[in-house]
Amino acid sequence: MLEKIFPKIHSEGYKFLAIAIIVTIFLYFLSTFLGLTGLVLSIWVYYFFRDPERISINDENYLTSPADGEVLMVHEVDGPKELGLEDKKFTKISIFMNVFDCHVNRTPCEGKIAEILYKPGKFLNASLDKASEDNERNYYKITNSHGEEVIVVQIAGLIARRIVCESSKDQQLQQGERIGMIRFGSRADVYFKNYKTLVKVGQKTIAGETLLAKR
């Protein structure tokens, strides 16, 4: 019960929480109203950086969501040209994370990270389709147990200013394992083949638990 009320937070959040608390104390000395405003902000910062434990299905026949958020798009596309996959067709699912969602990202499948590629870029609204090509982003090419490529892309948003990668090339991952996070509003894209989509546009997802696709 306490873990739901006071979840652990990601290491990225400690300095922001400390700043919010200091500002709250300063504002409190100015006025009670400002102090309460600062308190609400501090609580929001705490919950923004929450990093709860998640239980994945641990089944290679399913892909789980890499992010908490809302499904924006489900469609067939060419693979990311940055990874040399533009001549291959993939199903792409885009998930938008607003400022109230947990922003810790997880791998949708068990597998080995074959490549990690960071691309600098703009900070457009992450809900726009062109954010996949224009915004700052980080690619993870994961080879699953069937030897297939599953791509996860972290995309910075309008107010997001840092993509945090917590994984490394050749790392072996378990389904639902943490791979990184994005600070503030942002998006995650997943590219895959040989799976049937289980989600639809507008559906809410939970990282590591919501089933995105099935063989």
Side-chain angles (χ1 to χ4, degrees):
M1 182 64 179
L2 283 177
E3 290 183 359
K4 290 186 177 295
I5 300 174
F6 301 107
K8 72 174 185 176
I9 67 172
H10 192 276
S11 58
E12 283 286 312
Y14 288 114
K15 59 183 176 183
F16 289 95
L17 183 59
I19 291 171
I21 291 173
I22 292 171
V23 170
T24 297
I25 294 172
F26 174 76
L27 291 175
Y28 180 77
F29 282 110
L30 295 178
S31 79
T32 302
F33 174 76
L34 290 176
L36 290 175
T37 301
L39 178 61
V40 171
L41 176 63
S42 297
I43 293 172
W44 174 77
V45 169
Y46 175 83
Y47 278 96
F48 176 85
F49 285 100
R50 65 193 182 278
D51 185 12
E53 295 299 326
R54 297 286 169 76
I55 300 175
S56 286
I57 192 171
N58 290 320
D59 188 330
E60 63 183 9
N61 293 310
Y62 292 90
L63 296 178
T64 56
S65 177
D68 288 21
E70 179 181 346
V71 177
L72 285 179
M73 287 170 274
V74 180
H75 53 182
E76 298 296 316
V77 298
D78 296 330
K81 61 180 181 296
E82 291 85 353
L83 298 177
L85 300 173
E86 63 270 27
D87 295 328
K88 296 183 179 180
K89 290 293 183 181
F90 288 82
T91 299
K92 174 184 171 183
I93 296 178
S94 298
I95 299 169
F96 178 71
M97 296 169 272
N98 66 37
V99 294
F100 298 105
D101 290 317
C102 175
H103 276 53
V104 175
N105 302 133
R106 298 169 181 267
T107 175
C109 62
E110 178 181 348
K112 184 178 182 180
I113 298 178
E115 186 176 354
I116 297 177
L117 178 65
Y118 170 78
K119 295 290 290 185
K122 302 176 182 178
F123 296 97
L124 303 174
N125 188 328
S127 64
L128 300 176
D129 190 34
K130 63 180 180 179
S132 293
E133 297 181 356
D134 293 344
N135 281 24
E136 177 184 4
R137 56 206 182 276
N138 200 40
Y139 295 86
Y140 301 81
K141 183 164 73 173
I142 302 166
T143 304
N144 66 14
S145 57
H146 296 279
E148 301 163 340
E149 296 161 330
V150 177
I151 314 299
V152 178
V153 190
Q154 294 173 298
I155 303 172
L158 187 63
I159 60 174
R161 285 297 183 269
R162 187 181 179 198
I163 294 175
V164 180
C165 176
E166 298 178 304
S167 306
S168 57
K169 184 179 178 182
D170 296 327
Q171 180 178 345
Q172 187 68 35
L173 300 170
Q174 297 299 314
Q175 190 174 47
E177 187 173 343
R178 298 170 179 85
I179 57 174
M181 78 167 296
I182 316 175
R183 293 208 304 239
F184 309 115
S186 45
R187 170 174 150 187
D189 289 348
V190 186
Y191 296 76
F192 58 87
K193 296 187 291 185
N194 303 321
Y195 290 84
K196 180 181 178 181
T197 303
L198 297 176
V199 294
K200 59 184 179 180
V201 172
Q203 182 175 335
K204 294 292 186 179
T205 62
I206 298 175
E209 295 186 354
T210 300
L211 303 180
L212 289 187
K214 178 183 179 181
R215 283 193 175 279

